[in-house]
């Protein structure tokens, strides 16, 4: 019997997970750029770069919310199948 879920269909939390991964990597790059002057001995970047570093946490929370939304949808679907 074939599975009814198509491979290209998006689950309820997929967009949040993808957005979270993108935001996390932007924050990771900003963190590397912010920390680099400490090792290179150059002048530090402005304060807003430290704010951009916080995007790592925001991306992690977005991805976690997407995972939780996906779990909730799976549970709802399992209950409906009974």
């Amino acid at each position: 019997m074939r599975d009814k879920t198509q491979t290209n269909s998006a689950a309820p939390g997929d967009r949040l997970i993808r957005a979270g991964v993108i935001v996390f990597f932007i924050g990771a790059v900003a963190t590397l750029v912010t920390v680099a002057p400490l090792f290179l001995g150059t002048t530090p970047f402005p304060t807003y770069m430290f704010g951009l570093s916080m995007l790592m946490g925001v991306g992690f929370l977005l991805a976690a919310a997407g995972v939780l939304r996906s779990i909730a949808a799976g549970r709802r679907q399992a209950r409906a199948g009974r």
Side-chain angles (χ1 to χ4, degrees), residues 33-74:
V33 168
T34 304
V35 173
L38 297 173
F39 296 114
L40 299 175
T42 59
T43 58
F45 284 99
T47 308
Y48 70 87
M49 287 300 290
F50 293 101
L52 285 177
S53 297
M54 297 298 160
L55 288 177
M56 283 179 66
V58 173
F60 183 77
L61 289 175
L62 278 173
V67 168
L68 291 176
R69 187 172 179 193
S70 168
I71 290 170

Side-chain angles (χ1 to χ4, degrees), residues 7-54:
T7 57
N8 59 356
S9 65
D14 283 352
R15 287 186 181 174
L16 274 175
I17 294 171
R18 287 183 187 141
V21 168
I22 292 169
V23 171
F24 181 86
F25 280 119
I26 291 171
V29 169
T31 300
L32 290 174
V33 168
T34 304
V35 173
L38 297 173
F39 296 114
L40 299 175
T42 59
T43 58
F45 284 99
T47 308
Y48 70 87
M49 287 300 290
F50 293 101
L52 285 177
S53 297
M54 297 298 160

Side-chain angles (χ1 to χ4, degrees), residues 1-5:
M1 182 176 215
R2 285 181 58 179
D3 189 18
K4 293 180 182 179
T5 304

